Amino acid sequence: MAKKTKKTKTHTTIKATKKTGTVKAARAVKALKAARKPATPVRRPASKPARQSVAKAAAKSAPASVKKYVYAFAGGKAEGDRTMKDILGGKGSGLAEMTNAGLPVPPGFTISTAACNLWYAEGRKLPQRIEDEMMAHVHKLEQAAGATFGSTDNPLLVSVRSGAKFSMPGMMDTILNLGLNDAAVEGLKARTKNGRFAYDSYRRFIQMFGNVVLEIPKDRFEHEFEAVKHAHGARVDTDLGEGGMQETVERYKKLVRHETGKAFPQDPVQQLKMSRDAVFRSWNNQRAIAYRRIYEIPDNIGTAVNVQKMVFGNTGERSATGVGFTRNPATGAKEFFGEFLVNAQGEDVVAGIRTPRPISELADVMPKAYKQLRAFTSRLERHYKDIQDFEFTIENEQLFMLQTRSGKRTGYAAVVIATDFVAEKLLKPVEALLLVEPGALSQLLSPMFDPAEWKKVPVATRGLPASPGAASGQVVFTADQAVAWTDQGKTVLLVRKETAPDDIHGMEVAQGVLTATGGMTSHAAVVGRQMGRPSVVGAGALQIDEKAKTFTVAGQTVKEGDYVSFDGLSGEVKIGKVPTSPSEILQVLAGKLKPEASPIYQRFHTLLGWADKVRTLGIRANADQPDQSELAYAFGARGIGLCRTEHMFFGEGRIEKVQRMILADNEQDRRAALAELLPLQRADFYGVFKAMHGEPVTIRTIDPPLHEFLPKREDLMVEVAKLEATGADPAALASTRTLLRRVEQLHEFNPMLGHRGVRLGITYPEITEMQARAIFEAACQLAKEGFKVTPEVMIPLVGHVKELRDQKIIVNRVAAEVMKQAGVKIKYLVGTMIEVPRGALTADEIAAEAEFFSFGTNDLTQMTFGFSRDDIGKFLGIYQERKILDRDPFQSIDTVGVGQLVAMAVEKGRKTRPGIKLGVCGEHGGDPSSIHFFHKVGLNYVSASPYRVPVARLAAAHAALSVKVGD
Ligand code: ADP
Ligand code: MG
Ligand code: MG
């Protein structure tokens, strides 16, 4: 670190390329990365001439072809550095980097992740060659530390610490004070003249070794320790003296013999090998596996093991140990943040045995060490150019650094830190962008719980975190009830088994939507995200009785009107009321708060401004209504990628007209009903066009099967039976019967693959005609009023070029008629969705007619896998558990299969029509890793739900800077 040459080089590279736009920015980041990384991979066999002298030197101790598995760090020099996380793990690379920087790091060595993988591959043992390599490092460490394993006057004690590439806090195991035995403990006592400390260290070692290596449950040790404390009248461990600690050691050793049938191992080398293997083994403990699953960390990367000379925070009142962050990880505020304990060892701070003190108090207790710590950690932050999460120990007033890594932070803190780093001239905007994970931005748009209040209530169950945000309200079970209660001034939470399009009005007013079934792309999830409504879906533990208006979960019954709260970011559901407050950013966008009054809004705005300069992908939104479109524009969408016209059919007073259109059994009646819908659709389109300020608006013609607009067959049958029984209203009976008959006619076995999409337009051309008329009349009207409009008419579900041709003729004819009538000319496009595999396969033919493609990746995924997107929840969990699928393909695009169809269609489409416009409007358009893929295959834009637009802008910038998500 702090190598002057490296730093200056980095800065000049960036300065030189700064002035110019995106490409240069990307190059700057590449240059930066190159400057950080050695030009050639560190462990590549030295075959190039330039490296031959190095190879020769290495060959003296080992042949050049022999792979290195153990890396030393000691005395200001390390064999590794920060670029070697893959090999050394995060902890090991941090220790190496700090050592090279001259920080006081106790010496040690790192056994690589490759050794871990080899250990598993060889049936849980290491080849003798690597055992020898390790022992050579043990001897080197003895020299560096000036102490010897097992010595009775100056014993070497070490910690054995796990550390994978990605930090997995608390998931794997660490052992402290290794090297102690019955003789060495006396050596330690003699040397330090501190018997209490020596035996405290020994009992800690037996306890950790006993638990981690010998797998004796922790509470057995706790039990013995408590017994001693009790006997000595001690409240906490620091109350115990040497005698008490000695007694504890005796009891522990007895416990070990009892549990394992063997004495506690006395040979330090044997202790070391056993501990190392236990750390390797802990890579595959339940906790670690579960953690990797949640954070999508690969299982095959293995962990490194760090063996490091011990320093002691438990020698007395002049010693301490602690952890901290260079800034506040929750708010991002520039304040030193952390905790410490006097006279304690590592784990004590987090273990909660004693309550740690705020780190600011360290300034009073040990001012010199505190000042040094501040200096070191700020230096680390400047060096890594990121907030650092560090560990330290003070031994007799002397400070040692034990760990440093990038600190985990909330979305809010990420934005604050990134913008602060630029203001502090620590980073250039392009670099700062990379400090914010795109997905984390959605946390800033969601209402939030007061964290202290939220903690107080226990978790009742967990569902899929479909749409982020905090929701708390009185439970209702129907959309109508949601509206009625909201009108009365109540705040409601809509709970449904699953939602359907006709629940929209209820979803609109509810604080949040909670469903028992459905996946991340179920109706409730998609609509929830689109509306920015927090939602948790597929909470399978909810036993909902919609008739009785109750549900049970975790042994509790919740009635209509009871309070329930959930967090759409974590999926946690709790019974009870927890206060929330709306996102400041939304308040600004809604005009309720001045931008100047909201620092977080300004930072958010600045950051996304930087992203816009870097990205090459266009960002559009999926929106159906004028108000949604306005919001999308305010979020930075420049165009609508998908306007689903059928969502407009559910508006007030509309569904009856739609039903009349569907029920018509002849063209004339149908046209009459359509004529009534025309002005309504025209008004919507007018509003959407206007909200987009001339940016392109892609309007999709009707897509879902018609029966979705009619009442359920079962409900109608009940209704008919009732009317028959009373016989009071023959007219109602007749019309309900007609409705039932039509519903039965429309019934389909497989509606997703049935009479929908372009198939409707072909069988009922008058629907397409009406929709095209509404689009162009609205557009012409605006044009006459002096506004710019760019309509793009999109035909869904096309698998054959002739389907598109059929519809395009209608659209073009109507467009010509309307424009002629209005006396204006408007530029427009006609294109198609690519969402049927055959459409992708024949994209070259389709491109002859289509002026644009929009990839409908929801249907394309559904049809390529043959997974119903509404039913995947039934088996996805097991698929992921068995590692058949890593991720939900409806959430993150399957680049190998579905992605191949996209890439092929891009290529074929451009071959036929080089200027063809290409975008994506499936849910994947708002998913960061999918956005990387779309950037790579060369789409022109992605379209996401309005609330995902900021995420998409940042993800597109990351993609342009070609940084892999999660790296
Ligand atoms: P984790 O990854 O769970 O934090 P660590 O390997 O960092 O595990 O170690 C656990 C605790 O022990 C930390 O508080 C750390 O600072 C402390 N520790 C580790 N090695 C040493 C050492 N050589 N000397 C003193 N304390 C140590
Ligand atoms: Mg640690
Ligand atoms: Mg579709």
Side-chain angles (χ1 to χ4, degrees), residues 700 703 756 797 833 835 856 859 869:
R700 178 177 72 182
D703 185 52
R756 58 175 286 225
L797 225 68
M833 285 183 83
E835 53 183 338
D859 265 313
R869 62 173 129 146

Side-chain angles (χ1 to χ4, degrees), residues 91 159 161-162 170 174 176 308-311 346-347 391 393 402-403:
K91 199 176 285 170
S159 61
R161 319 171 63 185
S162 55
T174 283
L176 301 182
Q308 185 175 26
K309 177 182 184 278
M310 282 303 301
V311 287
E347 306 276 82
E391 290 174 3
T393 283
L402 288 169
Q403 195 173 316

